[in-house]
Amino acid sequence: MNVIKENRATGQSRVIFGMPISLFWGYVAIAIFMTGDGIELAYLSRYLFDAGYGEKEISLVFTLYALTAAISSWLSGGISEIYGPKKIMLIGVVSWIVLHTTFVQFGITGNNYLLILLSYSLRGFAYPLFFYGFYVLVVQQTPAHRLASATGWIWSMFTIGYGITASFLSGITVPLYGFINTLWLSLAFAAVGGIIVFFCVKAPAQDTEKPLTLPPRQKFGEISKGITLIFEDVSISLALIMRILCNVTLFGFPIFMPILFTKEAGYTSEQWAWIWGIFFLVQPVTNVLWGIIGDRIGWIYQMRWFGFFGSAITTTAFCFLPLFFPGNMLVATFCALLLALTLTSFVPMGAIFPMLAPKHKGAAVSVQNLGGGLGNLIGPAIATFMFSLSFSMQSVVIAFSLLYLFGGVLTFFIRDPQPAAKEEHARASAEYHSEAP
């Protein structure tokens, strides 16, 4: 167990198993809040369809939600650094509760499409304020050379809440209590997450000072850094491209892989659901492990060989091995585990951005968030474009693999911002003693 002593001068926390322990309850709050935020996903489109809305109307609901979430994700880093991440988190949770109440009471229950569209899309602004506000808080309070481990824990909590607990919980509550009652239940999870942050998460002292000391023009300039950094630093630009590419499979595969498995590879829909579920179930563990490993073997090294080059191999294997062994659950499950293992090795990406721009960490996190939002779109967009040109599903998979190879090549040209542990200890010690009486 590697324990780093807290540095009172810098406000950094002790780190145990990669987690800054002063923020333990914040991690818990993320898992709980994201459970509430994701509880409707498995059933909302089907509920709207049964309520009489067409595919275009339903698609517009989700498209506007994704758009507002992407905008909020980009802005959240900069405004969190200026106004304080804890304040932004609390604004996010209050906004989420108000908008979700409007969505359920007047949109869903009242069967009012305009209010459904408006309230749900505006709710997309709220959750990134909570989630990425905490992300900035972690960046502020974690020793730089342990940042990959700390951000790995963030994504583990996100996956536990949004990807696992929300899915299994809704699968239990919707059949028993109905969809609308399940939507009301999500309010409790969001509220509990907010209460934990309010009472149990301590914000750095500078959170209350920055809004008072920075003039409006400087505040706007800091927020706009989320865009200008891209053009000012080549490494930030390359990191943005890498961030966009790293999830191409994660969001591209659900578009067509269920069809390939059930129509061409001899699997049933239930078997596919199990395979894809295994893919997510292991990620809370692999996220943390890769964060800890990356802090030791090197962030860029890990993402190059295990992330990009590794995912190029596992992406291809996940498609073609089940085709060679049709209906074989052992082969498919093994491929799902390998894919999860390589995709989660991109965890250090969350540490690289703020370390590339240490004087503008919030803005750098905003650039990362922008890459994440664009990454959600590139996989489905490539698949849709190639299918429109009559390419096969296997061709799309090969294209994904080539993009990962391209991302791996880019890692040779990016500046390595990872601080050495000894250098970080020396810097922290120097700052502490310089302020000692």
Side-chain angles (χ1 to χ4, degrees), residues 55-187:
E55 294 178 357
K56 292 183 179 180
E57 293 170 308
I58 296 171
S59 175
L60 183 60
V61 171
F62 287 95
T63 300
L64 287 181
Y65 178 86
L67 177 62
T68 56
I71 295 172
S72 180
S73 296
W74 167 61
L75 292 173
S76 59
I79 63 177
S80 292
E81 190 168 57
I82 295 300
Y83 295 102
K86 182 175 179 178
K87 290 180 181 178
I88 297 304
M89 291 179 73
L90 293 175
I91 291 173
V93 72
V94 171
S95 302
W96 193 97
I97 290 173
V98 171
L99 292 167
H100 185 74
T101 301
T102 304
F103 170 66
V104 179
Q105 180 63 38
F106 301 104
I108 293 294
T109 304
N111 198 23
N112 186 317
Y113 178 74
L114 182 60
L115 282 177
I116 291 174
L117 187 67
L118 182 63
S119 58
Y120 194 68
S121 60
L122 289 177
R123 204 193 84 179
F125 277 110
Y127 100 79
L129 297 180
F130 187 86
F131 180 77
Y132 287 111
F134 182 71
Y135 205 107
V136 173
L137 195 60
V138 170
V139 170
Q140 290 178 347
Q141 297 196 30
T142 304
H145 66 285
R146 300 304 304 275
L147 197 51
S149 305
T151 55
W153 276 105
I154 297 177
W155 289 112
S156 290
M157 295 301 104
F158 180 92
T159 303
I160 288 172
Y162 192 80
I164 299 174
T165 307
S167 299
F168 285 110
L169 183 63
S170 62
I172 295 172
T173 58
V174 170
L176 288 177
Y177 307 110
F179 181 62
I180 293 179
N181 287 330
T182 298
L183 289 178
W184 287 120
L185 177 64
S186 64
L187 276 177

Side-chain angles (χ1 to χ4, degrees), residues 222-243:
E222 184 65 28
I223 294 173
S224 66
K225 275 287 182 181
I227 288 295
T228 58
L229 275 177
I230 300 171
F231 304 99
E232 295 172 355
D233 191 320
V234 174
S235 289
I236 289 282
S237 303
L238 294 177
L240 175 62
I241 297 172
M242 290 160 56
R243 180 68 179 91

Side-chain angles (χ1 to χ4, degrees), residues 240-260:
L240 175 62
I241 297 172
M242 290 160 56
R243 180 68 179 91
I244 294 171
L245 294 178
C246 67
N247 281 336
V248 63
T249 293
L250 180 64
F251 295 101
F253 270 4
I255 303 299
F256 61 92
M257 199 57 74
I259 301 173
L260 186 144

